[in-house]
Amino acid sequence: MSGGSSPSSRRNSSNSLSRDLDLSSEQGCLSIVVLGASGDLAKKKTFPALYHLFDQGFIQSGEVHIFGYARSNLSDDGLRERISGYLKGAPEEDLSEFLQLIKYVSGSYDNGEGFEKLNKTISEYEASSKTESYRRLFYLALPPSVYPSVCKMIRTYCMNPSSHPGWTRVIVEKPFGKDLDSAEQLSSQLGQLFEEHQLYRIDHYLGKELVQNLLVLRFANRLFLPLWNRDNIDNIQIVFREDFGTEGRGGYFDQYGIIRDIIQNHLLQVFCLVAMEKPVSLKPEHIRDEKVKVLQSVNPIQPEEVVLGQYDGYKDDPTVPDDSNTPTFASVVLRVHNERWEGVPFILKAGKALNSRKAEVRVQFKDVPGDIFKCKKQGRNEFVIRLQPSEAMYMKVTVKKPGLEMATEQSELDLSYGMRYQNVKIPEAYERLILDTIRGDQQHFVRRDELKAAWQIFTPLLHDIDEGKLKAVSYQPGSRGPKEADELSARVGYVQTHGYVWIPPTLA
């Protein structure tokens, strides 16, 4: 690469294919508005994602402007300085070019004065552009409690002007309510202001590379088609583990708990992709139709197939009530009442302050009939999709142990992304999902009826927990979680493999 080329020309030449593959044929200036611009989510996730899209040439300085909006009294340079602290390692010239795209507007979230000022600032940029098409994307990096008032302000003051072609789209972050009633109320409030095709309910798990790979694995490989059913699969685990606790966020976390925070959204989205039927096509609505169908096929959760845990020390946080029953760990069994999955337990498990950090899907197959090698005790075949960290897919298989004896052991057929795709940057979830919104592709966003079906599954359980009918048992930080969770998994059919550890391959 020659030293005399500018950052923008380097991006243009190296990313022409990426831009040719853009799903949107729309042209025109693009205004991206980050509401809550001074908050942690915007600084740590939204703005870095926008920078990476800019750096890869998906958004360019000639056609996009970024506006930050918040209550904080900041200047344009003040916001730029805050953002740059989260973009360490970015080439100085590229970073400077990106930061110049950002303007800041200060205002409250519940009166029109600030939004009138915001609209005026956007309109000045649009008027200076040489196109007739205006596109406005609003990213709500805000607490859900202010969504209705903010969306009302956007609707009243900041919509794309009807005199120009283009669109207005709104990205809202989870949590979408605390139970079925609150979620439906929020959906109704937003539905009165925007059409469904304008709303993008973001669950960043749907943007993860290995999650996006699930449909390809299932429906593009002849190998899996005949195996992916109750005849061959004994159980499926979808697991999320963190090796740290709430770390100063106890008061916030205590309002939600691990089921609302992780299982009802992130893990349930993965469950949909693992369990759904083959869609008619890859059109977003066809995929989302199948996700809704499988959610509607889930039986009511049985209390005896739930284990709740709370790690020792959680209530030491002064912001957590002394009598809190909020679970920091949960293992929940879902059962799907349809032809493919009848009798197969789906174990959704998530917890904080555990002995490792990972997220994975573990598909455990049934025992081999007529086990002539007497290797049943070594464990079953498992197909593991590791979502994070060290993205990988591997199949646990029984092989002959090298040597003169006929002895068997468990090994793996392994696709580790860090090895196979050494020179490929795996995009962050937020990059992909913001780009999808610009393109108008809603495949990886949660539809209103899907949200309703998800809350219908978990609301009775959540109400029982809130009312104290189900109690969280204690577990030690740094452990696997409550022993009752392992007992539940064993009771519904999961066979743990002892002595086998998957080690990510390295070049060393």
Side-chain angles (χ1 to χ4, degrees):
M1 188 176 290
S2 64
S5 60
S6 69
S8 58
S9 65
R10 293 199 301 271
R11 281 193 300 274
N12 290 345
S13 62
S14 65
N15 289 282
S16 58
L17 177 59
S18 298
R19 292 180 57 75
D20 288 345
L21 292 175
D22 195 322
L23 301 180
S24 171
S25 60
E26 296 174 12
Q27 299 298 315
C29 63
L30 171 63
S31 301
I32 300 175
V33 184
V34 180
L35 297 114
S38 60
D40 276 356
L41 175 63
K43 291 183 294 186
K44 293 178 180 178
K45 297 294 183 182
T46 315
F47 284 114
L50 291 171
Y51 169 74
H52 291 304
L53 290 175
F54 168 80
D55 188 52
Q56 296 170 75
F58 286 107
I59 57 177
Q60 301 209 351
S61 54
E63 48 187 62
V64 68
H65 222 79
I66 300 167
F67 302 87
Y69 184 92
R71 290 186 296 242
S72 304
N73 185 20
L74 285 172
S75 64
D76 292 350
D77 285 339
L79 179 61
R80 291 165 184 162
E81 187 176 342
R82 288 192 182 192
I83 294 166
S84 62
Y86 292 91
L87 297 174
K88 290 181 170 44
E92 188 173 334
E93 198 174 348
D94 288 19
L95 181 57
S96 176
E97 187 180 344
F98 170 72
L99 292 175
Q100 290 310 305
L101 302 177
I102 297 172
K103 288 188 176 296
Y104 181 73
V105 178
S106 175
S108 72
Y109 296 121
D110 56 2
N111 75 58
E113 185 179 348
F115 284 88
E116 283 184 310
K117 187 165 63 170
L118 174 62
N119 184 62
K120 182 182 177 187
T121 308
I122 298 171
S123 298
E124 287 171 354
Y125 158 65
E126 291 171 337
S128 69
S129 69
K130 297 182 174 140
T131 63
E132 291 297 313
S133 177
Y134 299 166
R135 298 172 290 165
R136 296 186 177 188
L137 170 59
F138 295 87
Y139 192 116
L140 274 59
L142 294 165
S145 58
V146 300
Y147 288 172
S149 63
V150 169
C151 286
K152 187 175 182 180
M153 293 294 130
I154 293 171
R155 181 75 200 178
T156 305
Y157 298 102
C158 296
M159 296 293 285
N160 179 62
S162 57
S163 56
H164 289 267
W167 45 254
T168 301
R169 293 172 185 154
V170 179
I171 297 177
V172 293
E173 278 273 354
K174 77 166 188 76
F176 315 115
K178 291 187 72 172
D179 57 12
L180 178 59
D181 288 344
S182 59
E184 280 289 278
Q185 182 181 7
L186 181 59
S187 292
S188 178
Q189 290 171 324
L190 300 189
Q192 291 170 13
L193 299 167
F194 298 104
E195 301 291 332
E196 183 66 24
H197 66 83
Q198 295 176 300
L199 286 170
Y200 289 72
R201 299 174 190 86
I202 194 170
D203 184 328
H204 74 270
Y205 249 59
L206 286 175
K208 288 187 175 293
E209 183 69 28
L210 271 291
V211 174
Q212 298 228 325
N213 215 334
L214 281 168
L215 291 187
V216 179
L217 281 169
R218 286 194 56 198
F219 302 124
N221 292 288
R222 187 71 177 86
L223 170 68
F224 291 116
L225 288 175
L227 297 179
W228 214 260
N229 54 50
R230 64 191 179 93
D231 296 331
N232 300 288
I233 293 173
D234 186 272
N235 61 82
I236 296 177
Q237 286 201 71
I238 304 172
V239 178
F240 175 94
R241 304 167 68 87
E242 287 182 333
D243 56 3
F244 53 88
T246 52
E247 297 191 336
R249 294 177 64 247
Y252 170 82
F253 181 85
D254 202 71
Q255 300 174 50
Y256 295 97
I258 199 72
I259 295 176
R260 289 183 175 97
D261 194 41
I262 301 294
I263 295 179
Q264 185 272 338
N265 40 72
H266 296 337
L267 299 195
L268 201 62
Q269 288 296 325
V270 177
F271 160 81
C272 286
L273 298 175
V274 171
M276 63 185 262
E277 296 299 318
K278 187 175 184 177
V280 175
S281 76
L282 289 178
K283 289 181 179 177
E285 292 314 304
H286 290 156
I287 292 172
R288 300 205 292 181
D289 286 346
E290 295 303 331
K291 289 168 68 180
V292 172
K293 286 179 189 175
V294 77
L295 288 174
Q296 291 173 337
S297 300
V298 174
N299 287 333
I301 296 170
Q302 299 304 306
E304 63 271 18
E305 294 192 327
V306 176
V307 171
L308 306 176
Q310 187 185 92
Y311 67 83
D312 290 342
Y314 169 70
K315 287 185 281 201
D316 293 345
D317 185 326
T319 62
V320 174
D322 291 339
D323 60 349
S324 172
N325 186 45
T326 300
T328 61
F329 176 99
S331 184
V332 180
V333 177
L334 299 187
R335 295 187 179 272
V336 183
H337 183 53
N338 67 15
E339 184 178 359
R340 181 183 295 273
W341 297 117
E342 191 73 47
V344 178
F346 287 78
I347 306 164
L348 276 56
K349 186 187 301 184
K352 290 181 172 292
L354 299 175
N355 60 350
S356 63
R357 172 183 171 264
K358 66 179 178 181
E360 66 183 17
V361 180
R362 188 172 290 270
V363 180
Q364 187 169 88
F365 292 90
K366 294 185 174 181
D367 291 321
V368 175
D371 179 18
I372 60 173
F373 292 101
K374 304 291 188 290
C375 54
K376 182 177 177 180
K377 65 179 183 297
Q378 291 176 350
R380 292 169 164 171
N381 294 143
E382 290 183 355
F383 179 50
V384 182
I385 304 162
R386 191 178 178 101
L387 307 178
Q388 67 179 37
S390 305
E391 294 93 341
M393 293 178 282
Y394 60 95
M395 178 74 83
K396 285 170 59 176
V397 294
T398 300
V399 298
K400 179 187 174 299
K401 200 172 187 177
L404 296 176
E405 300 294 326
M406 178 52 77
T408 60
E409 67 177 3
Q410 280 219 318
S411 188
E412 67 280 322
L413 307 175
D414 195 334
L415 166 59
S416 290
Y417 273 54
M419 289 284 288
R420 179 64 177 82
Y421 303 109
Q422 292 177 37
N423 298 316
V424 176
K425 176 187 175 293
I426 296 178
E428 290 291 330
Y430 280 92
E431 294 173 41
R432 190 190 309 276
L433 295 175
I434 291 173
L435 184 59
D436 281 350
T437 308
I438 296 169
R439 293 168 165 176
D441 184 351
Q442 289 189 304
Q443 174 182 332
H444 303 117
F445 295 84
V446 182
R447 200 167 66 187
R448 180 174 177 175
D449 57 344
E450 181 185 343
L451 180 63
K452 180 179 180 180
W455 277 119
Q456 284 174 328
I457 294 170
F458 281 98
T459 291
L461 170 62
L462 289 166
H463 284 179
D464 284 348
I465 296 170
D466 294 341
E467 294 166 11
K469 295 177 183 176
L470 289 175
K471 297 291 187 181
V473 298
S474 64
Y475 64 95
Q476 286 296 313
S479 68
R480 284 177 51 85
K483 68 180 190 315
E484 290 86 347
D486 286 338
E487 292 166 359
L488 171 62
S489 296
R491 194 164 70 244
V492 299
Y494 175 69
V495 176
Q496 188 175 350
T497 303
H498 295 283
Y500 169 88
V501 177
W502 176 72
I503 301 172
T506 65
L507 291 171

